[in-house]
Amino acid sequence: MTQDIQSLRTQIANEVKSASNLKALDDVRVSVLGKKGRITALMKTLGAMSQEERQTKGRDINILKDEIADLIKHQENALKKQEMDARLSSETLDITLSPRQDYMGHIHPISQTIEELTVIFAAMGFHVAEGPDIEDDYHNFTALNFPPGHPAREMQDTFFLPETQDEEGEYAKKLLRTHTSSVQIRHMENNKPPHKIICFGRTYRSDYDLTHTPMFHQMEALMIDEKTNMGHLKGCIMDFVRAFFEIEDLPVRFRPSFFPFVEPGAEIDIGCSRKDGGLKIGAGDDWLEIGGSGMVHPNVLKNCGLDPEKYQGFAFGMGIERMAMLKYGIPDLRTFFESDLRWLRHYGFNPLERPNSASGVKS
Ligand code: DAH
C-alpha cells in the first residue's frame, strides 16, 4: 500500500474515532465516501492510470474503502448504543409511583362489588362458578321447577332468541338467562356433591325504569351436602351482609316467600331507617328487601341427579347493582350503564386499592 493511501487511512480512521455523535460521523462518511468524498476522488484517478498501476492501486483503494466503511459502521453502532444508554438512564419510569389522579382509570362499582363479594365468600370456603348468558328453557326454567305456564316464562319478561335446532333436531328457542339460578343447575349437573359455589353474572329481563335495566347483574350462592339446614342458610347470609355493609349489628330478617326452586323460600330483608327522604342502612325502624333465598327444592335436586333423601342445602340470589346502590349511595340504576366518565370518576374505585383476601373488603 502506498504512502499516500496509508496516511489517508490513518487520517480518516482518526476522524471516524473522534466523531462524538451520529451527525458528526455522517459528516465524516460524506467527506470520505460521498460523491465528492476523498476515497471517491481517489477512485476517479484510476481512469488515467496504466493498466498495471490501476490493478495494484485499484485493489488498495478498494481495501481502504471497505476498511473505512467497516470502521464507520463500528463507530455508528457504538454511538447508537451510547445514545440508548443515555436515554435509558435519563428516561427512567418509576412504576411504584401512583398514576396522576387526572389520568387514572377507575374500577366500575359493579366490578368493585363483585370483588368485595368474592373476598367475603372465598373466606367462607365458596368457589366461583360460571354459566352461559345464552341459556335454554330447561336450565333457566324447567330444571328449576317452574311449572309449564309460569308467568315468568312469558314474553314480556324474557328475551327469547330466534328458534334454532338443537343436537336432537328439535326446534327450540334459546333465551338470555333471566337469573343466575341457572348456574346452580349447570354446576350440579357437571360436578359431584358437596357443592359450595357462588356465581356472578349478567342477567336479562325486558324492563326499563329507575330501578330496572334490561341487563343487570346477579349473584347466586348454592350450598349442598348431607346436613346443611335452614340455620346454616341464615347464618351464612347474616355473616355475609354484615361483612359486606361493614355493619356488625346489621339486623337481618327472613320473610316467607315463594320461589319455585326452593322450599321453604324466604326473602331477605336488612334493617334501615328512612328519614327526610334519605335511606340509612343499619338498625332502624324499617326494612329493605335485598334478595331471595331458601332450601333447594327436592325436585331441583332430582333434576340434577341428586337423591333428595340424602342431599339437602340452600341457595340464595340477589342483584349486584342493588347491593352497590345501597352500599355506595348511588340513586339511579340506569347510570351504571351510561359510560359517563364523570359518573365513573365520582363513583368508581382506585385500581391500586383492590379488595383482597389478605386485607378483606377494605384494602
Ligand atoms: N332467582 C331469583 C330472582 O331472580 C332470586 C333467588 C331467589 C335466587 C331465591 C335463589 C333463591 O337462589 O333461593 O329473582
Side-chain angles (χ1 to χ4, degrees):
M1 205 176 271
T2 56
Q3 192 59 43
D4 53 341
I5 292 190
Q6 284 278 22
S7 62
L8 184 61
R9 181 172 174 267
T10 319
Q11 188 195 340
I12 297 173
N14 281 338
E15 286 174 29
V16 171
K17 260 191 214 142
S18 51
S20 59
N21 59 51
L22 287 169
K23 168 83 183 69
L25 181 66
D26 199 54
D27 288 346
V28 177
R29 189 186 59 78
V30 172
S31 82
V32 178
L33 302 168
K35 256 195 206 153
K36 292 182 184 152
R38 280 162 285 173
I39 294 182
T40 318
L42 264 185
M43 296 286 246
K44 282 183 188 155
T45 62
L46 291 175
M49 290 178 194
S50 69
Q51 174 91 13
E52 217 174 288
E53 204 183 1
R54 195 185 304 150
Q55 262 190 3
T56 53
K57 260 254 159 121
R59 197 197 61 212
D60 287 351
I61 297 172
N62 270 324
I63 290 174
L64 174 69
K65 194 179 158 194
D66 289 349
E67 271 181 10
I68 297 298
D70 273 358
L71 280 179
I72 292 177
K73 191 78 217 150
H74 195 78
Q75 181 71 358
E76 189 185 324
N77 288 342
L79 288 173
K80 277 188 178 159
K81 183 172 178 309
Q82 229 173 58
E83 251 177 41
M84 181 56 87
D85 287 347
R87 267 187 72 189
L88 286 176
S89 60
S90 67
E91 294 177 15
T92 49
L93 183 69
D94 183 352
I95 56 166
T96 65
L97 281 177
S98 300
R100 281 175 53 178
Q101 288 295 320
D102 48 346
Y103 286 164
M104 191 170 75
H106 289 74
I107 301 293
H108 195 283
I110 290 293
S111 309
Q112 170 79 13
T113 306
I114 290 177
E115 278 190 51
E116 289 176 11
L117 293 167
T118 306
V119 164
I120 293 170
F121 282 97
M124 294 195 214
F126 284 77
H127 289 254
V128 175
E130 287 180 351
D133 288 26
I134 297 177
E135 260 304 358
D136 48 40
D137 181 271
Y138 179 77
H139 290 91
N140 196 79
F141 295 126
T142 310
L144 285 161
N145 200 34
F146 280 79
H150 196 279
R153 293 172 180 246
E154 294 296 303
M155 287 295 287
Q156 75 265 24
D157 290 319
T158 310
F159 288 112
F160 287 96
L161 299 174
E163 212 165 67
T164 47
Q165 232 174 340
D166 66 15
E167 289 113 50
E168 275 102 52
E170 301 267 324
Y171 282 92
K173 278 182 189 164
K174 292 246 178 175
L175 49 89
L176 296 178
R177 68 177 173 201
T178 59
H179 52 182
T180 42
S181 302
S182 53
V183 182
Q184 289 182 30
I185 303 299
R186 291 200 175 265
H187 185 81
M188 286 192 276
E189 280 176 347
N190 297 319
N191 296 277
K192 287 203 170 72
H195 302 294
K196 199 172 178 185
I197 53 140
I198 39 160
C199 156
F200 307 100
R202 291 185 175 156
T203 45
Y204 308 82
R205 288 181 202 178
S206 181
D207 218 345
Y208 189 69
D209 61 30
L210 196 73
T211 51
H212 296 91
T213 48
M215 187 282 294
F216 58 105
H217 295 75
Q218 276 194 347
M219 182 200 88
E220 185 85 16
L222 174 75
M223 177 158 177
I224 302 284
D225 58 20
E226 294 179 31
K227 53 183 193 305
T228 293
N229 60 42
M230 193 84 186
H232 297 122
L233 162 67
K234 291 172 84 172
C236 176
I237 292 175
M238 283 163 77
D239 282 354
F240 137 58
V241 290
R242 287 172 176 175
F244 179 75
F245 288 106
E246 297 169 56
I247 303 174
E248 258 175 53
D249 60 350
L250 177 64
V252 183
R253 178 175 83 170
F254 294 84
R255 197 166 23 84
S257 185
F258 175 78
F259 302 97
F261 36 92
V262 282
E263 181 57 39
E267 257 158 338
I268 309 158
D269 294 343
I270 54 173
C272 69
S273 53
R274 291 182 173 89
K275 266 193 209 105
D276 311 320
L279 174 76
K280 194 168 170 292
I281 307 286
D285 51 10
D286 217 341
W287 295 97
L288 189 73
E289 188 222 311
I290 56 163
S293 68
M295 297 304 292
V296 176
H297 197 289
N299 289 349
V300 174
L301 295 172
K302 267 189 242 160
N303 290 337
C304 299
L306 293 180
D307 176 3
E309 297 294 323
K310 187 171 176 202
Y311 291 105
Q312 59 183 45
F314 63 75
F316 59 88
M318 54 196 59
I320 295 174
E321 284 82 355
R322 185 164 166 78
M323 298 293 276
M325 286 165 83
L326 292 172
K327 181 166 177 178
Y328 296 112
I330 306 174
D332 187 340
L333 172 66
R334 293 168 296 195
T335 56
F336 277 75
F337 310 113
E338 283 169 357
S339 303
D340 185 332
L341 278 179
R342 293 163 305 178
W343 184 89
L344 197 54
R345 278 188 199 117
H346 183 76
Y347 288 112
F349 292 83
N350 187 332
L352 297 173
E353 290 168 16
R354 315 300 308 127
N356 61 72
S357 43
S359 58
V361 170
K362 280 240 170 93
S363 55

